[in-house]
C-alpha cells in the first residue's frame, strides 16, 4: 500500500495580507529609525526641530511599528495553525 500525498495547502488571502502588513510595518519602522539617526546627526533635532513637520509621524511609526508587526505575526501564526488544523481534519477550504 502506498500513501497518497496530501493535497497542497493553499495560502489564503488573509494570510497574504497579514504577511504583507508585517513586512511593510517592519520596513517602515526601520526606515524611520534610520531617518531619525541621520537627522539627529545632521542637527535636525536642535531647538525642538523634531516637534513639528513630519517628525511626530516618523516618531509614531518608529515607536509603534515594530510592536504592531509583532502582534500581526502572532495573528498570522494563529491563522496558519487554524487553517492547518482544519485541513488535517478534512473540514477546511483547502481540502478537495
Amino acid at each position: 500500500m502506498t500513501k497518497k500525498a496530501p493535497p497542497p495547502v493553499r495560502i489564503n488571502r488573509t494570510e497574504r495580507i497579514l504577511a504583507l502588513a508585517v513586512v511593510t510595518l517592519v520596513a517602515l519602522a526601520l526606515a524611520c529609525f534610520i531617518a531619525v539617526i541621520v537627522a539627529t546627526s545632521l542637527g535636525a533635532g536642535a531647538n525642538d526641530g523634531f516637534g513639528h513637520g513630519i517628525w511626530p509621524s516618523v516618531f509614531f511609526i518608529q515607536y509603534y511599528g515594530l510592536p504592531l508587526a509583532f502582534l500581526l505575526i502572532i495573528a498570522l501564526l494563529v491563522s496558519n495553525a487554524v487553517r492547518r488544523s482544519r485541513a488535517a481534519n478534512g473540514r477546511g477550504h483547502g481540502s478537495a
Side-chain angles (χ1 to χ4, degrees):
M1 287 182 152
T2 60
K3 287 185 171 181
K4 286 187 177 181
V9 179
R10 294 179 50 208
I11 298 175
N12 62 10
R13 183 176 296 172
T14 304
E15 290 177 359
R16 286 184 183 176
I17 291 171
L18 283 173
L20 181 63
V22 167
V23 170
T24 303
L25 274 173
V26 168
L28 200 57
L30 291 177
C32 288
F33 182 72
I34 292 170
V36 169
I37 290 174
V38 170
T40 301
S41 69
L42 295 176
N47 296 327
D48 196 29
F50 288 133
H52 51 81
I54 196 167
W55 292 110
S57 300
V58 170
F59 277 101
F60 181 82
I61 293 169
Q62 176 185 344
Y63 289 147
Y64 297 111
L66 292 178
L68 185 58
F70 181 72
L71 292 176
L72 288 176
I73 287 173
I74 292 173
L76 181 62
L77 288 173
V78 169
S79 172
N80 191 1
V82 167
R83 180 182 49 84
R84 286 181 180 257
S85 173
R86 287 181 181 167
N89 292 337
R91 300 181 309 178
H93 297 288
S95 61

